[in-house]
Tab-separated table of all heavy atoms in Angstrom:
chain	number	residue	atom	x	y	z
A	1	MET	N	-15.409	12.355	0.142
A	1	MET	CA	-14.698	11.384	-0.666
A	1	MET	C	-13.293	11.855	-0.962
A	1	MET	O	-12.333	11.174	-0.670
A	1	MET	CB	-15.485	11.148	-1.962
A	1	MET	CG	-14.811	10.326	-3.030
A	1	MET	SD	-13.488	10.943	-4.133
A	1	MET	CE	-14.141	12.341	-4.934
A	2	ARG	N	-13.154	13.045	-1.554
A	2	ARG	CA	-11.830	13.432	-2.037
A	2	ARG	C	-10.835	13.660	-0.919
A	2	ARG	O	-9.660	13.360	-1.070
A	2	ARG	CB	-11.914	14.632	-2.966
A	2	ARG	CG	-12.367	15.898	-2.317
A	2	ARG	CD	-12.466	16.985	-3.348
A	2	ARG	NE	-13.053	18.148	-2.729
A	2	ARG	CZ	-13.477	19.172	-3.370
A	2	ARG	NH1	-13.377	19.207	-4.674
A	2	ARG	NH2	-13.997	20.190	-2.749
A	3	ASN	N	-11.297	14.167	0.212
A	3	ASN	CA	-10.369	14.352	1.329
A	3	ASN	C	-9.958	13.008	1.923
A	3	ASN	O	-8.790	12.800	2.242
A	3	ASN	CB	-10.981	15.246	2.400
A	3	ASN	CG	-11.116	16.675	1.943
A	3	ASN	OD1	-10.376	17.134	1.079
A	3	ASN	ND2	-12.063	17.386	2.511
A	4	THR	N	-10.917	12.113	2.084
A	4	THR	CA	-10.611	10.804	2.652
A	4	THR	C	-9.696	10.014	1.731
A	4	THR	O	-8.700	9.431	2.175
A	4	THR	CB	-11.904	10.018	2.931
A	4	THR	OG1	-12.739	10.790	3.799
A	4	THR	CG2	-11.596	8.680	3.583
A	5	SER	N	-10.009	9.996	0.453
A	5	SER	CA	-9.169	9.239	-0.480
A	5	SER	C	-7.777	9.861	-0.565
A	5	SER	O	-6.775	9.140	-0.615
A	5	SER	CB	-9.812	9.140	-1.860
A	5	SER	OG	-10.080	10.418	-2.388
A	6	PHE	N	-7.682	11.169	-0.543
A	6	PHE	CA	-6.377	11.836	-0.578
A	6	PHE	C	-5.565	11.492	0.666
A	6	PHE	O	-4.359	11.232	0.586
A	6	PHE	CB	-6.550	13.349	-0.721
A	6	PHE	CG	-5.276	14.081	-0.963
A	6	PHE	CD1	-4.602	13.951	-2.167
A	6	PHE	CD2	-4.742	14.906	0.007
A	6	PHE	CE1	-3.413	14.624	-2.393
A	6	PHE	CE2	-3.555	15.584	-0.207
A	6	PHE	CZ	-2.887	15.435	-1.417
A	7	GLU	N	-6.223	11.457	1.812
A	7	GLU	CA	-5.542	11.079	3.051
A	7	GLU	C	-5.042	9.636	2.974
A	7	GLU	O	-3.929	9.331	3.393
A	7	GLU	CB	-6.483	11.243	4.245
A	7	GLU	CG	-5.842	10.879	5.572
A	7	GLU	CD	-6.809	11.019	6.732
A	7	GLU	OE1	-7.731	11.846	6.659
A	7	GLU	OE2	-6.626	10.275	7.705
A	8	LEU	N	-5.865	8.759	2.423
A	8	LEU	CA	-5.456	7.355	2.272
A	8	LEU	C	-4.251	7.230	1.337
A	8	LEU	O	-3.354	6.425	1.590
A	8	LEU	CB	-6.625	6.517	1.766
A	8	LEU	CG	-7.762	6.287	2.765
A	8	LEU	CD1	-8.980	5.712	2.066
A	8	LEU	CD2	-7.307	5.408	3.912
A	9	ILE	N	-4.228	8.014	0.285
A	9	ILE	CA	-3.081	8.004	-0.630
A	9	ILE	C	-1.825	8.415	0.134
A	9	ILE	O	-0.774	7.783	0.008
A	9	ILE	CB	-3.322	8.930	-1.836
A	9	ILE	CG1	-4.452	8.389	-2.708
A	9	ILE	CG2	-2.033	9.098	-2.655
A	9	ILE	CD1	-4.976	9.375	-3.737
A	10	GLY	N	-1.931	9.445	0.932
A	10	GLY	CA	-0.799	9.911	1.719
A	10	GLY	C	-0.282	8.863	2.686
A	10	GLY	O	0.913	8.829	3.007
A	11	ARG	N	-1.158	8.000	3.136
A	11	ARG	CA	-0.768	6.928	4.056
A	11	ARG	C	-0.310	5.661	3.337
A	11	ARG	O	0.031	4.671	3.977
A	11	ARG	CB	-1.940	6.570	4.967
A	11	ARG	CG	-2.306	7.661	5.928
A	11	ARG	CD	-3.474	7.225	6.757
A	11	ARG	NE	-3.817	8.245	7.725
A	11	ARG	CZ	-4.602	8.038	8.741
A	11	ARG	NH1	-5.134	6.842	8.944
A	11	ARG	NH2	-4.879	9.008	9.583
A	12	GLY	N	-0.330	5.709	2.014
A	12	GLY	CA	0.085	4.536	1.247
A	12	GLY	C	-0.979	3.471	1.131
A	12	GLY	O	-0.691	2.346	0.702
A	13	ARG	N	-2.201	3.796	1.473
A	13	ARG	CA	-3.303	2.826	1.413
A	13	ARG	C	-4.041	2.989	0.076
A	13	ARG	O	-5.189	3.407	0.007
A	13	ARG	CB	-4.228	3.019	2.608
A	13	ARG	CG	-3.526	2.681	3.931
A	13	ARG	CD	-4.365	2.951	5.142
A	13	ARG	NE	-5.679	2.314	5.056
A	13	ARG	CZ	-6.690	2.604	5.871
A	13	ARG	NH1	-6.530	3.501	6.845
A	13	ARG	NH2	-7.853	1.996	5.740
A	14	PHE	N	-3.334	2.645	-0.983
A	14	PHE	CA	-3.822	2.893	-2.329
A	14	PHE	C	-5.090	2.119	-2.667
A	14	PHE	O	-6.005	2.652	-3.285
A	14	PHE	CB	-2.728	2.584	-3.353
A	14	PHE	CG	-1.447	3.327	-3.112
A	14	PHE	CD1	-0.235	2.705	-3.298
A	14	PHE	CD2	-1.445	4.651	-2.710
A	14	PHE	CE1	0.955	3.382	-3.084
A	14	PHE	CE2	-0.262	5.340	-2.490
A	14	PHE	CZ	0.937	4.701	-2.680
A	15	ALA	N	-5.159	0.859	-2.284
A	15	ALA	CA	-6.342	0.049	-2.603
A	15	ALA	C	-7.591	0.619	-1.942
A	15	ALA	O	-8.664	0.664	-2.558
A	15	ALA	CB	-6.118	-1.402	-2.180
A	16	ASP	N	-7.459	1.075	-0.706
A	16	ASP	CA	-8.606	1.677	-0.015
A	16	ASP	C	-9.021	2.981	-0.696
A	16	ASP	O	-10.220	3.253	-0.857
A	16	ASP	CB	-8.270	1.952	1.450
A	16	ASP	CG	-8.082	0.675	2.259
A	16	ASP	OD1	-8.663	-0.369	1.890
A	16	ASP	OD2	-7.343	0.728	3.266
A	17	ALA	N	-8.049	3.763	-1.108
A	17	ALA	CA	-8.347	5.019	-1.812
A	17	ALA	C	-9.049	4.717	-3.139
A	17	ALA	O	-10.030	5.390	-3.493
A	17	ALA	CB	-7.073	5.809	-2.050
A	18	GLU	N	-8.571	3.711	-3.837
A	18	GLU	CA	-9.185	3.350	-5.116
A	18	GLU	C	-10.631	2.898	-4.953
A	18	GLU	O	-11.476	3.202	-5.802
A	18	GLU	CB	-8.361	2.271	-5.809
A	18	GLU	CG	-7.063	2.812	-6.371
A	18	GLU	CD	-6.136	1.738	-6.880
A	18	GLU	OE1	-6.045	0.653	-6.251
A	18	GLU	OE2	-5.489	1.989	-7.904
A	19	LYS	N	-10.934	2.208	-3.877
A	19	LYS	CA	-12.321	1.797	-3.628
A	19	LYS	C	-13.223	3.016	-3.465
A	19	LYS	O	-14.335	3.054	-4.005
A	19	LYS	CB	-12.404	0.912	-2.383
A	19	LYS	CG	-11.842	-0.477	-2.589
A	19	LYS	CD	-11.879	-1.287	-1.302
A	19	LYS	CE	-11.156	-2.604	-1.467
A	19	LYS	NZ	-11.048	-3.349	-0.212
A	20	LEU	N	-12.750	4.002	-2.718
A	20	LEU	CA	-13.534	5.233	-2.555
A	20	LEU	C	-13.693	5.963	-3.882
A	20	LEU	O	-14.765	6.484	-4.195
A	20	LEU	CB	-12.877	6.157	-1.535
A	20	LEU	CG	-13.002	5.766	-0.078
A	20	LEU	CD1	-12.246	6.763	0.795
A	20	LEU	CD2	-14.463	5.712	0.346
A	21	LEU	N	-12.618	6.010	-4.655
A	21	LEU	CA	-12.690	6.673	-5.960
A	21	LEU	C	-13.649	5.944	-6.890
A	21	LEU	O	-14.407	6.586	-7.629
A	21	LEU	CB	-11.291	6.774	-6.576
A	21	LEU	CG	-10.316	7.682	-5.834
A	21	LEU	CD1	-8.922	7.563	-6.425
A	21	LEU	CD2	-10.785	9.118	-5.825
A	22	ASP	N	-13.656	4.624	-6.844
A	22	ASP	CA	-14.595	3.837	-7.659
A	22	ASP	C	-16.033	4.214	-7.329
A	22	ASP	O	-16.856	4.417	-8.225
A	22	ASP	CB	-14.399	2.334	-7.433
A	22	ASP	CG	-13.111	1.791	-8.019
A	22	ASP	OD1	-12.481	2.469	-8.864
A	22	ASP	OD2	-12.713	0.672	-7.607
A	23	LEU	N	-16.321	4.301	-6.042
A	23	LEU	CA	-17.689	4.660	-5.619
A	23	LEU	C	-18.053	6.069	-6.059
A	23	LEU	O	-19.151	6.309	-6.558
A	23	LEU	CB	-17.816	4.547	-4.098
A	23	LEU	CG	-17.786	3.143	-3.514
A	23	LEU	CD1	-17.731	3.202	-1.983
A	23	LEU	CD2	-19.006	2.351	-3.975
A	24	ALA	N	-17.138	6.987	-5.874
A	24	ALA	CA	-17.405	8.381	-6.240
A	24	ALA	C	-17.637	8.518	-7.739
A	24	ALA	O	-18.561	9.208	-8.175
A	24	ALA	CB	-16.250	9.265	-5.798
A	25	GLU	N	-16.803	7.848	-8.523
A	25	GLU	CA	-16.951	7.932	-9.979
A	25	GLU	C	-18.255	7.294	-10.449
A	25	GLU	O	-18.863	7.760	-11.408
A	25	GLU	CB	-15.764	7.263	-10.660
A	25	GLU	CG	-14.490	8.074	-10.537
A	25	GLU	CD	-13.273	7.347	-11.058
A	25	GLU	OE1	-13.119	6.140	-10.773
A	25	GLU	OE2	-12.490	8.000	-11.747
A	26	LYS	N	-18.684	6.253	-9.758
A	26	LYS	CA	-19.949	5.610	-10.106
A	26	LYS	C	-21.124	6.530	-9.778
A	26	LYS	O	-22.058	6.670	-10.567
A	26	LYS	CB	-20.085	4.290	-9.348
A	26	LYS	CG	-21.344	3.532	-9.653
A	26	LYS	CD	-21.428	2.257	-8.849
A	26	LYS	CE	-22.764	1.586	-9.073
A	26	LYS	NZ	-22.989	0.495	-8.131
A	27	ASP	N	-21.068	7.170	-8.608
A	27	ASP	CA	-22.159	8.042	-8.178
A	27	ASP	C	-22.201	9.368	-8.934
A	27	ASP	O	-23.264	9.975	-9.074
A	27	ASP	CB	-22.056	8.325	-6.683
A	27	ASP	CG	-22.361	7.103	-5.827
A	27	ASP	OD1	-22.948	6.127	-6.347
A	27	ASP	OD2	-22.002	7.118	-4.631
A	28	TYR	N	-21.051	9.836	-9.394
A	28	TYR	CA	-20.954	11.121	-10.092
A	28	TYR	C	-20.178	10.923	-11.393
A	28	TYR	O	-18.984	11.206	-11.466
A	28	TYR	CB	-20.245	12.157	-9.213
A	28	TYR	CG	-20.954	12.404	-7.910
A	28	TYR	CD1	-20.579	11.716	-6.754
A	28	TYR	CD2	-22.013	13.300	-7.837
A	28	TYR	CE1	-21.241	11.929	-5.555
A	28	TYR	CE2	-22.679	13.516	-6.642
A	28	TYR	CZ	-22.286	12.824	-5.506
A	28	TYR	OH	-22.945	13.026	-4.317
A	29	PRO	N	-20.853	10.435	-12.427
A	29	PRO	CA	-20.154	10.055	-13.657
A	29	PRO	C	-19.633	11.216	-14.514
A	29	PRO	O	-19.017	10.985	-15.538
A	29	PRO	CB	-21.205	9.245	-14.417
A	29	PRO	CG	-22.509	9.749	-13.912
A	29	PRO	CD	-22.283	10.143	-12.486
A	30	ARG	N	-19.855	12.452	-14.085
A	30	ARG	CA	-19.375	13.601	-14.856
A	30	ARG	C	-18.826	14.676	-13.947
A	30	ARG	O	-19.055	14.681	-12.753
A	30	ARG	CB	-20.529	14.225	-15.646
A	30	ARG	CG	-20.919	13.437	-16.823
A	30	ARG	CD	-22.027	14.124	-17.540
A	30	ARG	NE	-22.924	13.033	-17.637
A	30	ARG	CZ	-24.221	12.984	-17.712
A	30	ARG	NH1	-24.850	13.908	-17.766
A	30	ARG	NH2	-24.934	11.945	-17.765
A	31	GLY	N	-18.118	15.576	-14.546
A	31	GLY	CA	-17.755	16.810	-13.887
A	31	GLY	C	-16.577	16.765	-12.940
A	31	GLY	O	-15.621	16.009	-13.114
A	32	LEU	N	-16.683	17.594	-11.906
A	32	LEU	CA	-15.578	17.833	-10.989
A	32	LEU	C	-15.113	16.573	-10.273
A	32	LEU	O	-13.906	16.354	-10.126
A	32	LEU	CB	-15.972	18.906	-9.963
A	32	LEU	CG	-14.900	19.303	-8.967
A	32	LEU	CD1	-13.684	19.875	-9.682
A	32	LEU	CD2	-15.460	20.315	-7.971
A	33	VAL	N	-16.024	15.723	-9.847
A	33	VAL	CA	-15.635	14.500	-9.146
A	33	VAL	C	-14.760	13.631	-10.047
A	33	VAL	O	-13.765	13.062	-9.599
A	33	VAL	CB	-16.870	13.720	-8.641
A	33	VAL	CG1	-16.475	12.351	-8.115
A	33	VAL	CG2	-17.585	14.519	-7.561
A	34	GLN	N	-15.102	13.550	-11.313
A	34	GLN	CA	-14.292	12.779	-12.252
A	34	GLN	C	-12.889	13.364	-12.385
A	34	GLN	O	-11.902	12.633	-12.449
A	34	GLN	CB	-14.973	12.735	-13.625
A	34	GLN	CG	-16.274	11.971	-13.635
A	34	GLN	CD	-16.080	10.496	-13.392
A	34	GLN	OE1	-15.203	9.876	-13.977
A	34	GLN	NE2	-16.910	9.916	-12.542
A	35	ARG	N	-12.798	14.687	-12.402
A	35	ARG	CA	-11.488	15.339	-12.509
A	35	ARG	C	-10.651	15.081	-11.263
A	35	ARG	O	-9.483	14.728	-11.355
A	35	ARG	CB	-11.673	16.836	-12.724
A	35	ARG	CG	-10.355	17.550	-12.963
A	35	ARG	CD	-10.566	18.999	-13.291
A	35	ARG	NE	-11.212	19.097	-14.575
A	35	ARG	CZ	-10.896	19.986	-15.506
A	35	ARG	NH1	-9.926	20.843	-15.293
A	35	ARG	NH2	-11.530	20.035	-16.639
């Protein structure tokens, strides 16, 4: 998740990165993933 979303941010594909972050935050509601 974090590598893919970071790569998408670098490419300017913010909406796609946000979708991945939404999924990650839902699946891991605490800890390192949230940070």
Side-chain angles (χ1 to χ4, degrees):
M1 171 283 304
R2 66 183 173 192
N3 291 334
T4 303
S5 57
F6 188 70
E7 180 181 332
L8 289 168
I9 293 167
R11 293 179 178 194
R13 294 176 52 193
F14 305 140
D16 292 334
E18 287 171 322
K19 287 177 187 174
L20 286 178
L21 294 173
D22 289 344
L23 290 172
E25 288 173 317
K26 181 181 174 191
D27 290 344
Y28 300 95
R30 285 181 231 152
L32 182 61
V33 171
Q34 294 293 314
R35 185 175 292 222

